[in-house]
Amino acid sequence: MKRGALVAALPLIFGSAVLLTQSSGPVSSSSSSGASTFVGTTTVETKALPSRSDGDLWPSCWAGNGNLYSANGDGKGFSLDGDFADVAVSEIKGDVGDLSGTTVARGDEVGSVWSGAGYNRKPTGMVCVGDTMYVAVQDLALDFNDVPAATIAKSTDHGRTWTWDKHKPMFSDHVFTTIWFADFGKGGAAAPDGYVYAYGLDGNWRDSFDDTVVDPQSVFMARVAKSRVQDRRAWEFFAGSNDRGKPSWSRQVKDRMPVLTDQRRLYAQTYGTNGSNLSVISQGGVTYLPQQKRYVYTSWTEYTFEFYESPTPWGPWKHFLSKDFSGYPWSTSKYGGYGVTIPSKFVQPDGRTMYLQANVCPCGGGGIGTSVYNFNLRKVVLTPSSTAPVTDLPGDANLAAPSTGAVAISKSSQSGSLALLNDGATTGSENDFDDEVKGASWWGYTWPAKHKVNRVDFTPGAVSAQGGYFTGRPRVQVKQNGSWVEVGSQSVAPAYPGDASAGANTTYTLTFPAVETDGVRVIGLPGGTRSFTSVSEVAVRYAVELADGGFEATGSGKPAWLFEGTAANGVDRGLGFAHSGANNGWIRTSGTGWSALTQVIPVKPGTTYTFGSWINASAALPAGGGRFGVRVGADGSEVLGEQTFGASTGYVHHEVTVTVPPGVQAITLYAGFTAPGTDTFIQVDDFTVS
């Protein structure tokens, strides 16, 4: 579809509100669906493999004869010596990287234009029932902003001739006028029943410019018996589901309810003239993956591909990836596109490797010419989450090494490649400049299986006045149940300055209490006049690491230090009582009994460690009343090594050296005292392990 300067026309509405919902009640309201926990990692190639063809959109279906059939808009199809048409159908043979095809029908041979002057035909969906094919064709205004009508044509001779009701469209009044179908493989053989499942948008194929009339952020759904696809009276619309997920259906289109609503708006504001405030629900495709027993819906914005998955055709649909190709200009090695689908013919036997089709208009931004205004494919690898138990032992290994299955992630990437994040070198530079006035930048990894992590070594790349650094202190987030949450008690060394003086290729070590997770990232507010950060390397470890030893950490999640006993306790912040830095821990009571600050620390069996701390004890503490040491055992009660102490006139350094018994992978470090019944306190600071 030769769209002109599409980006300049996209609307500025609703700010950057974020809401993802899934239809739930019998016929009523929607509730939050959350993020996907089924998908572990996803990789999407940034460059596609083109074919000798011309056109865009390319909805397709895999027929029973083994060939792929696809419909394009605005082009010559696969017969480059033929005529240009607003809609054409081609027969495609071959496999990825070696495709050839023939255009078998075009223009008036495929469908009608119902809406008069100012409208063209555009194909939006195809489905094969054995060797019988159907193509959904809509009337799209020449300015791309109005889709009033759609119909479905049928072919029983592999696309050579098509029949449809020439007296009226099947769908009108802007309702369900952008239609695509669930792809159930060769001839539809993997379909669960005798229905064809269809998905539709109201009002437009990519967005609506009048939110008071239609809903541009919802996907609706219908089903129809395979033998009655062109019989509008036989269509049933999804009308909600009950608490057990059983769907309701209605023959009345007015009863339809969304199967997916996603109110996110991306690129809320840009520096230049690139489009902004983009909605994420658009014409795409739904493909069933039998090996994974999952449906995948592919959508897009001007700069991103959007991915959702569901265990049933009607949901619950959950978002699992926003692949950001960044704002224009794109390059010959990095580009996104529109009309995003996954043809089932190219899903590999492992059910994880597949190929995605998307197009880039030659008249839009990006400067990549006509190289992808054709039927083209790029590899996608979708790996499910693993439920395998975590087996990590503490050590120096980089859990982000390629051998671990780590997939690098970022908000976007100017070059399109994140290979340098885990290449072992700290001298390169990548950045996420994308013309957006960003509120957050991040660099990190996801894994198919969970790992224990407690340390991230972050090395920025090039820094300038335009950006490359975080404003303020970068933070660590981990992936929990599909969502990103901030870890607690985060410390960074050396101190991060929060401006351009952070410098290029300087490694900052962020430590925090150990956590099990299948993703980790360094995130923060990008700095500079163009709001971006840079990176050279991100290493992730499960180290023998004491978290927040100086009580200087930030973060609202799990604290590093726990407490046992009944005394008052806390952290003095900036009160001048610290041994070093600004803060220190304390315990104080006038009562009796044992109270202590404790921390569980990962260790290697059979290894000797020295633990240290600086402690200041008040005059009321009797000699031997205080104890600093290490415990082991299932409940952490068996003393492995201990040093006692009493009153002091200032901070005194205490050390305990122990050898970890076989099979022990964690110890409990403690510092506390048995209170004598009078006002007694200790101040603690600068815990270490070596």
Side-chain angles (χ1 to χ4, degrees):
M1 181 172 302
K2 298 185 177 179
R3 303 183 296 171
L6 170 61
V7 291
L10 287 172
L12 296 172
I13 34 181
F14 285 173
S16 57
V18 177
L19 181 62
L20 184 66
T21 60
Q22 160 66 36
S23 180
S24 59
V27 287
S28 55
S29 62
S30 298
S31 61
S32 174
S33 70
S36 171
T37 58
F38 176 81
V39 177
T41 61
T42 309
T43 61
V44 181
E45 295 280 331
T46 57
K47 182 179 180 180
L49 299 171
S51 64
R52 286 182 52 79
S53 55
D54 176 58
D56 65 353
L57 298 179
W58 301 103
S60 64
C61 68
W62 187 10
N65 67 358
N67 293 332
L68 189 76
Y69 293 84
S70 187
N72 67 274
D74 288 349
K76 298 181 180 182
F78 270 79
S79 296
L80 299 181
D81 56 350
D83 295 330
F84 173 92
D86 56 357
V87 61
V89 176
S90 294
E91 181 180 70
I92 306 172
K93 299 181 179 181
D95 207 342
V96 178
D98 186 28
L99 297 174
S100 63
T102 303
T103 301
V104 295
R106 56 172 55 87
D108 292 338
E109 299 169 340
V110 180
S112 299
V113 177
W114 296 102
S115 304
Y119 292 87
N120 279 338
R121 291 162 291 214
K122 302 300 170 203
T124 60
M126 287 190 75
V127 64
C128 289
V129 180
D131 281 314
T132 298
M133 293 185 292
Y134 299 91
V135 59
V137 180
Q138 67 179 194
D139 286 0
L140 179 62
L142 298 179
D143 65 0
F144 310 113
N145 296 338
D146 187 37
V147 183
T151 200
I152 296 172
K154 175 182 178 180
S155 174
T156 58
D157 59 359
H158 300 116
R160 271 68 180 174
T161 59
W162 295 86
T163 59
W164 66 96
D165 186 345
K166 298 183 179 181
H167 297 93
K168 61 180 180 180
M170 289 178 61
F171 298 92
S172 58
D173 297 328
H174 304 87
V175 175
F176 212 77
T177 53
T178 296
I179 303 168
W180 64 91
F181 303 95
D183 184 345
F184 285 108
K186 186 177 180 180
D193 49 37
Y195 290 98
V196 166
Y197 288 92
Y199 300 84
L201 307 181
D202 289 352
N204 215 331
W205 63 297
R206 73 169 190 273
D207 195 34
S208 171
F209 290 80
D210 186 353
D211 290 281
T212 65
V213 177
V214 292
D215 183 354
Q217 298 163 316
S218 292
V219 178
F220 300 94
M221 182 185 179
R223 68 179 185 179
V224 61
K226 292 178 179 180
S227 61
R228 302 181 66 184
V229 173
Q230 289 182 298
D231 183 355
R232 173 64 182 79
R233 297 167 301 177
W235 283 60
E236 298 177 322
F237 296 87
F238 175 81
S241 56
N242 61 22
D243 293 339
R244 298 183 302 278
K246 184 178 180 179
S248 298
W249 303 95
S250 173
R251 292 285 177 92
Q252 303 298 316
V253 69
K254 65 180 178 60
D255 295 334
R256 72 196 185 287
M257 289 190 66
V259 293
L260 171 66
T261 297
D262 191 340
Q263 296 180 359
R264 288 178 299 140
R265 293 277 178 167
L266 305 186
Y267 282 76
Q269 184 180 0
T270 58
Y271 283 99
T273 59
N274 284 342
S276 60
N277 207 41
L278 310 174
S279 62
V280 297
I281 298 297
S282 301
Q283 173 189 334
V286 169
T287 302
Y288 180 58
L289 306 176
Q291 300 91 331
Q292 301 197 37
K293 297 182 180 179
R294 271 308 194 269
Y295 296 79
V296 175
Y297 164 46
T298 48
S299 184
W300 54 278
T301 71
E302 192 68 15
Y303 316 124
T304 71
F305 292 164
E306 302 294 320
F307 293 84
Y308 306 79
E309 58 84 12
S310 169
T312 73
W314 47 85
W317 289 96
K318 297 190 177 184
H319 186 259
F320 65 88
L321 179 69
S322 181
K323 172 62 177 179
D324 196 322
F325 294 91
S326 76
Y328 296 137
W330 290 338
S331 70
T332 56
S333 61
K334 184 197 73 167
Y335 43 79
Y338 57 94
V340 184
T341 62
I342 297 175
S344 62
K345 178 176 172 63
F346 306 117
V347 176
Q348 302 302 295
D350 64 3
R352 302 181 179 187
T353 305
M354 56 206 73
Y355 288 83
L356 180 148
Q357 202 289 134
N359 312 111
V360 179
C361 179
C363 49
I368 60 175
T370 61
S371 62
V372 284
Y373 191 72
N374 51 42
F375 186 93
N376 61 82
L377 299 169
R378 71 184 80 196
K379 182 187 289 188
V380 175
V381 179
L382 190 161
T383 304
S385 296
S386 170
T387 58
V390 178
T391 58
D392 297 318
L393 295 175
D396 298 326
N398 180 10
L399 299 177
S403 60
T404 67
V407 172
I409 59 171
S410 66
K411 192 277 175 187
S412 56
S413 166
Q414 191 172 40
S415 75
S417 173
L418 297 178
L420 60 66
L421 260 70
N422 56 359
D423 65 0
T426 57
T427 55
S429 183
E430 177 58 61
N431 68 69
D432 63 355
F433 171 76
D434 53 17
D435 201 43
E436 183 185 7
V437 185
K438 291 192 291 294
S441 288
W442 60 85
W443 308 95
Y445 304 94
T446 57
W447 297 274
K450 288 184 178 181
H451 291 273
K452 290 182 181 179
V453 299
N454 63 357
R455 170 175 163 177
V456 176
D457 298 318
F458 172 72
T459 306
V463 175
S464 70
Q466 288 188 320
Y469 59 90
F470 289 105
T471 297
R473 184 175 180 172
R475 313 180 313 277
V476 174
Q477 292 182 338
V478 294
K479 197 177 179 188
Q480 300 284 4
N481 297 319
S483 299
W484 292 96
V485 297
E486 192 162 331
V487 299
S489 298
Q490 303 180 36
S491 300
V492 58
Y496 190 85
D499 54 32
S501 66
N505 307 115
T506 299
T507 298
Y508 295 89
T509 296
L510 296 97
T511 58
F512 45 92
V515 60
E516 292 187 4
T517 182
D518 52 7
V520 64
R521 65 184 183 181
V522 176
I523 187 171
L525 178 66
T529 60
R530 299 304 292 271
S531 303
F532 67 91
T533 63
S534 66
V535 66
S536 176
E537 185 81 0
V538 180
V540 182
R541 308 185 197 282
Y542 178 45
V544 177
E545 195 83 48
L546 194 153
D548 194 20
F551 299 91
E552 310 291 334
T554 61
S556 57
K558 175 185 175 182
W561 292 98
L562 302 177
F563 183 75
E564 54 191 35
T566 59
N569 64 94
V571 177
D572 289 323
R573 300 191 179 278
L575 299 181
F577 301 143
H579 173 258
S580 69
N583 308 330
N584 62 274
W586 60 268
I587 304 172
R588 187 168 188 170
T589 184
S590 297
T592 59
W594 168 255
S595 294
L597 289 168
T598 69
Q599 183 174 148
V600 177
I601 302 172
V603 291
K604 293 181 182 179
T607 305
T608 299
Y609 298 98
T610 297
F611 297 90
S613 177
W614 290 86
I615 302 175
N616 178 33
S618 67
L621 183 65
R627 287 182 282 162
F628 169 70
V630 172
R631 301 192 304 243
V632 295
D635 59 356
S637 62
E638 178 186 341
V639 175
L640 187 61
E642 183 179 83
Q643 186 182 89
T644 61
F645 59 88
S648 62
T649 57
Y651 278 98
V652 175
H653 190 245
H654 301 276
E655 281 189 355
V656 172
T657 299
V658 298
T659 298
V660 180
V664 173
Q665 299 179 20
I667 61 90
T668 299
L669 182 68
Y670 61 91
F673 64 92
T674 300
T678 58
D679 184 24
T680 308
F681 68 84
I682 64 171
Q683 295 162 326
V684 294
D685 202 0
D686 296 333
F687 286 81
T688 59
V689 56
S690 60

